[in-house]
Amino acid sequence: MTNPDRLTRIEKVLDYIHEHLDEPIHVLNLAEKSCWSRWQFQRVFGQATGLTVAQYIRELRLSNAAELLLSSKDRHVDIAIQCGFDSEISFSRAFKQMFNCTPGHYRQQGKRYGLRTPLQYRKPHTAQIDTPKTFTQIRLESRDDFQLHGINDWIRGPFSSAPDFIERVPRLWKQLEKQAHHIDSHTRPIGVVDTNDHPQHPDQMCYWVGYVDQPNKHFDSMQVPAQEYAVIPVHGKVVAIEQAVEWFIYQWLPDSNYLGVQGYELEIYEPNYDPDSSHSYMEYWLPIKPR
């Protein structure tokens, strides 16, 4: 059972980190604020978040820097100092390690990708007492347009007056599996939810399962446009997907600097994903835009 006092102490530490990102932050000082020893604090933080303290601070600083590269005309050195780095050299080195490109190239591309947002507490759903992580971190990604080849059906989602996705979606995945013997076994299928308005199908969404850029005569095709996404990590059984998306819509999004938009939502599953396993992992990509 989750200890409320433990969560409160971690939340206080997270608040401190978020408010002092542009200053030197030492693990020993954070441990003192949490009233744990340094070893105890690092262990509890890792269990609750899945991250080390140093990794979390570094990724947030670099994500803030990446946002400034896109939204301002500040010099790289000024952004480096503003985001808590001692020099432009150390900033550039760390930036390249995280984003696999230089700050200049990132600014030139003009797209958000790989950005981490502050961890937020997410109360575990009563039906899922084995939630592996107490805090959730949303990632921001831009994805180019791509063509999906697969099969589709009209479904009624969780916010519909008569939801039927629980029956229809698994049926589509099983059908795709039967027809995918001609696809390379290393190619992972994805799910795509078309949430655009379709007057001929009120109260319904078109759900696709298929393969990216794998044309085949047995499949239908659709074009998914370039889009910016909030990526929601989902740990656990398939029921956790609906719970995570609900938390994102009602809690994370209203307090963020982003708006949800209609478009195409993506479901990306790890290899050997098991919908009945509490150890499974997938990502739900929701289209967004800056406010």
Side-chain angles (χ1 to χ4, degrees):
M1 191 171 179
T2 303
N3 184 328
D5 177 61
R6 188 185 74 167
L7 297 181
T8 301
R9 285 196 264 173
I10 294 177
E11 287 179 284
K12 287 181 178 177
V13 169
L14 288 173
D15 286 343
Y16 179 85
I17 291 173
H18 301 158
E19 292 171 4
H20 297 83
L21 272 177
D22 58 341
E23 304 170 15
I25 300 176
H26 303 288
V27 174
L28 186 58
N29 292 341
L30 296 178
E32 289 175 353
K33 292 180 182 301
S34 71
C35 299
W36 283 303
S37 71
R38 177 172 180 166
W39 177 84
Q40 290 170 331
F41 168 64
Q42 290 178 302
R43 181 179 181 182
V44 172
F45 189 92
Q47 286 178 336
T49 68
L51 300 165
T52 67
V53 181
Q55 175 189 2
Y56 179 61
I57 293 172
R58 182 175 64 253
E59 290 183 350
L60 276 192
R61 284 174 170 167
L62 290 168
S63 294
N64 287 347
E67 183 65 48
L68 287 171
L69 286 168
L70 298 180
S71 62
S72 77
K73 295 182 179 180
D74 294 349
R75 298 182 305 164
H76 294 180
V77 63
D78 295 330
I79 290 175
I81 301 302
Q82 186 177 340
C83 292
F85 291 89
D86 335 5
S87 68
E88 185 178 357
I89 294 175
S90 62
F91 163 63
S92 296
R93 185 186 303 117
F95 193 94
K96 192 170 184 179
Q97 287 176 345
M98 179 169 171
F99 295 104
N100 296 314
C101 71
T102 64
H105 187 227
Y106 195 96
R107 173 174 265 172
Q108 186 178 10
Q109 290 183 99
K111 296 179 181 179
R112 291 176 182 83
Y113 63 87
L115 271 69
R116 270 60 169 183
T117 64
L119 284 161
Q120 287 194 21
Y121 172 67
R122 182 157 71 94
K123 184 178 180 181
H125 194 280
T126 52
Q128 192 186 7
I129 58 174
D130 57 347
T131 301
K133 299 291 179 292
T134 309
F135 293 86
T136 297
Q137 185 178 42
I138 300 301
R139 197 172 79 244
L140 305 181
E141 299 282 0
S142 294
R143 182 162 181 159
D144 293 336
D145 65 306
F146 64 91
Q147 195 167 49
L148 188 78
H149 306 272
I151 56 178
N152 64 86
D153 191 11
W154 292 96
I155 67 168
R156 290 183 171 86
F159 303 110
S160 168
S161 57
D164 60 7
F165 67 99
I166 293 178
E167 300 83 27
R168 289 183 174 273
V169 169
R171 194 184 306 161
L172 269 180
W173 280 96
K174 289 179 181 177
Q175 185 180 340
L176 180 74
E177 188 177 351
K178 291 179 181 178
Q179 299 182 21
H181 55 273
H182 48 275
I183 300 291
D184 187 333
S185 59
H186 297 291
T187 304
R188 298 295 305 159
I190 69 170
V192 176
V193 187
D194 179 359
T195 65
N196 292 294
D197 291 328
H198 297 277
Q200 70 275 30
H201 290 278
D203 198 34
Q204 288 184 303
M205 303 179 291
C206 192
Y207 185 91
W208 284 75
V209 291
Y211 298 88
V212 177
D213 299 329
Q214 294 281 333
N216 190 282
K217 63 180 181 181
H218 301 286
F219 291 147
D220 294 326
S221 299
M222 70 172 299
Q223 191 73 21
V224 178
Q227 178 63 59
E228 190 170 334
Y229 296 91
V231 182
I232 310 169
V234 183
H235 300 267
K237 300 177 183 179
V238 68
V239 66
I241 299 176
E242 183 181 347
Q243 296 162 10
V245 172
E246 189 173 301
W247 166 82
F248 174 86
I249 292 173
Y250 289 113
Q251 296 186 44
W252 189 90
L253 199 57
D255 294 330
S256 74
N257 295 320
Y258 297 88
L259 297 171
V261 297
Q262 285 187 303
Y264 299 88
E265 301 175 3
L266 313 181
E267 297 177 348
I268 300 179
Y269 298 86
E270 67 174 3
N272 304 315
Y273 177 84
D274 180 357
D276 298 318
S277 171
S278 59
H279 301 291
S280 291
Y281 178 76
M282 63 85 65
E283 293 182 342
Y284 202 96
W285 293 44
L286 273 163
I288 56 168
K289 67 178 182 180
R291 288 182 187 273

